[in-house]
Amino acid sequence: GENVEQHPSTLSVQEGDSAVIKCTYSDSASNYFPWYKQELGKRPQLIIDIRSNVGEKKDQRIAVTLNKTAKHFSLHITETQPEDSAVYFCAASRENRDDKIIFGKGTRLHILP
Amino acid sequence: DAGVTQSPTHLIKTRGQHVTLRCSPISGHKSVSWYQQVLGQGPQFIFQYYEKEERGRGNFPDRFSARQFPNYSSELNVNALLLGDSALYLCASSYLDRAGGYTFGSGTRLTVV
């Protein structure tokens, strides 16, 4: 079945440094890759997404890259700030087909002062 | 424009009981999906409905069922509750027939005692 692997499970970085979270997916029909930030007790919030016709997308301090051939996609957060501390989930889905979102297991990001 | 609304926000039930969770999608969204998020894990896909028809089902027992109404709202029903059903239940809506991503509701936190 479809699967999304996410690494690392926990990540601690010094404030101001960069953080990178990596994911791989198994379903070659996946065409939409959202990233969610979830704070304790709250719903997942979309922070950035990328579709399969694009290799890279950037929004201020956040960027996502996609390698369709290798089925890899990554989240890059630069100049990390304390408010970036949260759990981040990558996901893959077949947008416009069945909308079933397969989530990774999450990365708990700690920003150290 | 209202986002995805879920009710109730919190619920406590006893083992063996039945529960109904409700979701109203964003206006214009015809697809509703349900996810279960157990503490410390990523959301797991339960069901997806589009135009009142089930389009996808995750690996959940038959105790879980859902339906979608003509106004595109949806209900998730769980029978014979087990302690392990305690989780945050999330609803997500989308267009399905065109790009637009997914929007999650705030979720219903179900505690089974």
Side-chain angles (χ1 to χ4, degrees):
Chain A
E2 304 100 333
N3 188 43
V4 173
E5 297 284 341
Q6 181 172 349
H7 300 281
S9 57
T10 305
L11 180 61
S12 296
V13 300
Q14 213 69 38
E15 182 179 349
D17 287 351
S18 295
V20 180
I21 302 171
K22 297 183 179 183
C23 292
T24 60
Y25 61 98
S26 62
D27 183 4
S28 56
S30 296
N31 58 6
Y32 176 66
F33 306 90
W35 286 86
Y36 295 92
K37 176 183 180 182
Q38 189 174 32
E39 296 174 345
L40 193 62
K42 296 188 176 181
R43 68 178 130 182
Q45 294 276 11
L46 178 70
I47 56 171
I48 195 167
D49 56 14
I50 190 167
R51 291 179 168 84
S52 57
N53 58 346
V54 175
E56 186 173 354
K57 183 176 179 180
K58 188 173 182 181
D59 183 5
Q60 298 183 347
R61 298 187 296 110
I62 296 174
V64 59
T65 59
L66 171 65
N67 182 330
K68 280 187 62 179
T69 303
K71 296 182 188 173
H72 289 174
F73 57 117
S74 300
L75 177 72
H76 304 252
I77 305 174
T78 59
E79 301 172 16
T80 53
Q81 300 170 3
E83 54 264 35
D84 295 331
S85 294
V87 178
Y88 291 80
F89 292 99
C90 63
S93 74
R94 297 178 288 190
E95 191 181 37
N96 298 350
R97 295 173 67 171
D98 62 18
D99 275 10
K100 176 181 178 181
I101 310 171
I102 305 299
F103 286 84
K105 291 186 183 296
T107 296
R108 183 169 296 279
L109 177 63
H110 299 275
I111 306 300
L112 306 172
Chain B
D1 189 18
V4 178
T5 57
Q6 289 187 246
S7 63
T9 54
H10 296 85
L11 202 52
I12 299 175
K13 288 286 191 177
T14 305
R15 274 180 300 176
Q17 284 189 313
H18 162 270
V19 69
T20 297
L21 311 181
R22 296 177 175 83
C23 172
S24 293
I26 286 175
S27 177
H29 283 187
K30 298 180 180 180
S31 172
V32 171
S33 301
W34 288 95
Y35 295 81
Q36 180 197 65
Q37 187 176 24
V38 174
L39 195 63
Q41 297 183 21
Q44 296 291 316
F45 173 76
I46 309 175
F47 285 111
Q48 191 242 334
Y49 276 78
Y50 177 69
E51 290 283 13
K52 294 170 287 180
E53 290 189 2
E54 181 184 303
R55 293 283 293 267
R57 173 185 283 258
N59 188 22
F60 281 80
D62 291 344
R63 299 185 296 107
F64 288 76
S65 63
R67 55 180 176 167
Q68 187 177 34
F69 299 99
N71 65 354
Y72 303 112
S73 66
S74 177
E75 283 183 354
L76 175 69
N77 296 283
V78 187
N79 293 323
L81 286 167
L82 303 174
L83 295 179
D85 295 330
S86 296
L88 179 67
Y89 288 84
L90 295 160
C91 170
S93 76
S94 65
Y95 289 109
L96 185 62
D97 57 357
R98 55 187 147 124
Y102 314 95
T103 303
F104 281 91
S106 297
T108 293
R109 183 159 299 282
L110 173 65
T111 302
V112 182
V113 297

Short mmCIF file of all heavy atoms in Angstrom, two decimals, chain B residues 84-107:
data_model
loop_
_atom_site.label_atom_id
_atom_site.label_comp_id
_atom_site.label_asym_id
_atom_site.label_seq_id
_atom_site.Cartn_x
_atom_site.Cartn_y
_atom_site.Cartn_z
N GLY B 84 -8.85 2.04 22.56
CA GLY B 84 -7.93 2.43 21.50
C GLY B 84 -8.51 3.38 20.47
O GLY B 84 -7.78 3.88 19.61
N ASP B 85 -9.81 3.63 20.57
CA ASP B 85 -10.43 4.59 19.65
C ASP B 85 -10.23 6.02 20.13
O ASP B 85 -10.59 6.98 19.43
CB ASP B 85 -11.93 4.31 19.52
CG ASP B 85 -12.21 2.96 18.87
OD1 ASP B 85 -11.38 2.52 18.04
OD2 ASP B 85 -13.26 2.36 19.19
N SER B 86 -9.68 6.17 21.33
CA SER B 86 -9.40 7.50 21.84
C SER B 86 -8.38 8.19 20.94
O SER B 86 -7.29 7.67 20.71
CB SER B 86 -8.84 7.42 23.27
OG SER B 86 -9.79 6.89 24.15
N ALA B 87 -8.77 9.35 20.40
CA ALA B 87 -7.92 10.02 19.43
C ALA B 87 -8.53 11.36 19.08
O ALA B 87 -9.66 11.67 19.49
CB ALA B 87 -7.77 9.18 18.15
N LEU B 88 -7.79 12.12 18.28
CA LEU B 88 -8.31 13.33 17.66
C LEU B 88 -8.83 12.93 16.27
O LEU B 88 -8.08 12.35 15.48
CB LEU B 88 -7.21 14.38 17.54
CG LEU B 88 -7.59 15.71 16.87
CD1 LEU B 88 -8.58 16.49 17.73
CD2 LEU B 88 -6.33 16.55 16.61
N TYR B 89 -10.09 13.19 16.01
CA TYR B 89 -10.66 12.85 14.71
C TYR B 89 -10.76 14.14 13.89
O TYR B 89 -11.43 15.09 14.27
CB TYR B 89 -12.03 12.18 14.88
CG TYR B 89 -11.88 10.80 15.42
CD1 TYR B 89 -11.75 10.56 16.79
CD2 TYR B 89 -11.80 9.70 14.56
CE1 TYR B 89 -11.56 9.28 17.28
CE2 TYR B 89 -11.62 8.42 15.04
CZ TYR B 89 -11.49 8.21 16.41
OH TYR B 89 -11.30 6.95 16.89
N LEU B 90 -10.10 14.10 12.76
CA LEU B 90 -10.01 15.27 11.90
C LEU B 90 -10.80 15.07 10.63
O LEU B 90 -10.82 13.98 10.05
CB LEU B 90 -8.54 15.53 11.54
CG LEU B 90 -7.62 15.91 12.69
CD1 LEU B 90 -6.17 15.67 12.32
CD2 LEU B 90 -7.84 17.36 13.08
N CYS B 91 -11.43 16.14 10.20
CA CYS B 91 -12.15 16.16 8.95
C CYS B 91 -11.42 17.13 8.02
O CYS B 91 -10.98 18.19 8.46
CB CYS B 91 -13.59 16.62 9.20
SG CYS B 91 -14.54 16.96 7.73
N ALA B 92 -11.30 16.76 6.76
CA ALA B 92 -10.68 17.65 5.78
C ALA B 92 -11.60 17.76 4.58
O ALA B 92 -12.20 16.77 4.16
CB ALA B 92 -9.32 17.11 5.35
N SER B 93 -11.71 18.95 4.04
CA SER B 93 -12.52 19.10 2.83
C SER B 93 -11.68 19.64 1.68
O SER B 93 -10.64 20.27 1.88
CB SER B 93 -13.73 20.01 3.10
OG SER B 93 -13.37 21.38 3.15
N SER B 94 -12.15 19.36 0.47
CA SER B 94 -11.45 19.80 -0.72
C SER B 94 -12.42 19.81 -1.89
O SER B 94 -13.55 19.34 -1.78
CB SER B 94 -10.26 18.87 -1.02
OG SER B 94 -10.73 17.57 -1.36
N TYR B 95 -11.97 20.34 -3.02
CA TYR B 95 -12.82 20.34 -4.22
C TYR B 95 -12.86 18.95 -4.85
O TYR B 95 -13.88 18.49 -5.31
CB TYR B 95 -12.27 21.34 -5.25
CG TYR B 95 -12.46 22.78 -4.87
CD1 TYR B 95 -11.38 23.57 -4.50
CD2 TYR B 95 -13.72 23.37 -4.87
CE1 TYR B 95 -11.53 24.89 -4.15
CE2 TYR B 95 -13.89 24.70 -4.52
CZ TYR B 95 -12.79 25.46 -4.16
OH TYR B 95 -12.95 26.76 -3.81
N LEU B 96 -11.72 18.29 -4.91
CA LEU B 96 -11.47 17.01 -5.58
C LEU B 96 -11.45 17.16 -7.10
O LEU B 96 -10.56 16.64 -7.75
CB LEU B 96 -12.48 15.92 -5.20
CG LEU B 96 -12.16 14.54 -5.81
CD1 LEU B 96 -10.82 14.04 -5.31
CD2 LEU B 96 -13.26 13.54 -5.54
N ASP B 97 -12.41 17.90 -7.67
CA ASP B 97 -12.44 17.96 -9.13
C ASP B 97 -11.51 19.04 -9.69
O ASP B 97 -11.43 19.23 -10.90
CB ASP B 97 -13.87 18.17 -9.63
CG ASP B 97 -14.52 19.41 -9.06
OD1 ASP B 97 -13.90 20.09 -8.22
OD2 ASP B 97 -15.66 19.71 -9.45
N ARG B 98 -10.82 19.75 -8.79
CA ARG B 98 -9.81 20.71 -9.22
C ARG B 98 -8.82 20.96 -8.09
O ARG B 98 -9.10 20.63 -6.94
CB ARG B 98 -10.44 22.02 -9.65
CG ARG B 98 -11.33 22.67 -8.63
CD ARG B 98 -12.03 23.87 -9.21
NE ARG B 98 -13.36 24.06 -8.65
CZ ARG B 98 -13.73 25.19 -8.06
NH1 ARG B 98 -12.89 26.20 -7.93
NH2 ARG B 98 -14.96 25.30 -7.58
N ALA B 99 -7.68 21.50 -8.44
CA ALA B 99 -6.65 21.74 -7.44
C ALA B 99 -7.12 22.78 -6.42
O ALA B 99 -7.92 23.64 -6.74
CB ALA B 99 -5.36 22.21 -8.11
N GLY B 100 -6.63 22.65 -5.23
CA GLY B 100 -7.00 23.62 -4.20
C GLY B 100 -6.56 23.20 -2.82
O GLY B 100 -6.77 23.90 -1.85
N GLY B 101 -5.95 22.01 -2.77
CA GLY B 101 -5.46 21.56 -1.48
C GLY B 101 -6.58 21.12 -0.56
O GLY B 101 -7.73 20.97 -0.96
N TYR B 102 -6.22 20.92 0.67
CA TYR B 102 -7.15 20.43 1.67
C TYR B 102 -7.17 21.39 2.84
O TYR B 102 -6.17 22.00 3.16
CB TYR B 102 -6.70 19.05 2.19
CG TYR B 102 -6.30 18.11 1.09
CD1 TYR B 102 -4.97 17.98 0.73
CD2 TYR B 102 -7.25 17.34 0.43
CE1 TYR B 102 -4.59 17.13 -0.28
CE2 TYR B 102 -6.87 16.49 -0.58
CZ TYR B 102 -5.55 16.38 -0.94
OH TYR B 102 -5.19 15.53 -1.95
N THR B 103 -8.31 21.48 3.49
CA THR B 103 -8.44 22.28 4.70
C THR B 103 -8.96 21.40 5.81
O THR B 103 -9.99 20.74 5.64
CB THR B 103 -9.38 23.46 4.48
OG1 THR B 103 -8.91 24.25 3.40
CG2 THR B 103 -9.45 24.32 5.73
N PHE B 104 -8.26 21.40 6.93
CA PHE B 104 -8.67 20.58 8.07
C PHE B 104 -9.52 21.38 9.04
O PHE B 104 -9.32 22.58 9.24
CB PHE B 104 -7.43 20.08 8.83
CG PHE B 104 -6.78 18.89 8.17
CD1 PHE B 104 -5.77 19.08 7.24
CD2 PHE B 104 -7.19 17.60 8.48
CE1 PHE B 104 -5.18 17.98 6.62
CE2 PHE B 104 -6.59 16.51 7.88
CZ PHE B 104 -5.59 16.70 6.94
N GLY B 105 -10.48 20.69 9.65
CA GLY B 105 -11.20 21.26 10.76
C GLY B 105 -10.36 21.17 12.02
O GLY B 105 -9.26 20.60 12.02
N SER B 106 -10.88 21.71 13.10
CA SER B 106 -10.15 21.72 14.37
C SER B 106 -10.16 20.38 15.07
O SER B 106 -9.42 20.16 16.01
CB SER B 106 -10.72 22.78 15.30
OG SER B 106 -10.56 24.07 14.73
N GLY B 107 -11.04 19.50 14.60
CA GLY B 107 -11.05 18.15 15.14
C GLY B 107 -11.99 17.94 16.30
O GLY B 107 -12.46 18.88 16.95
#
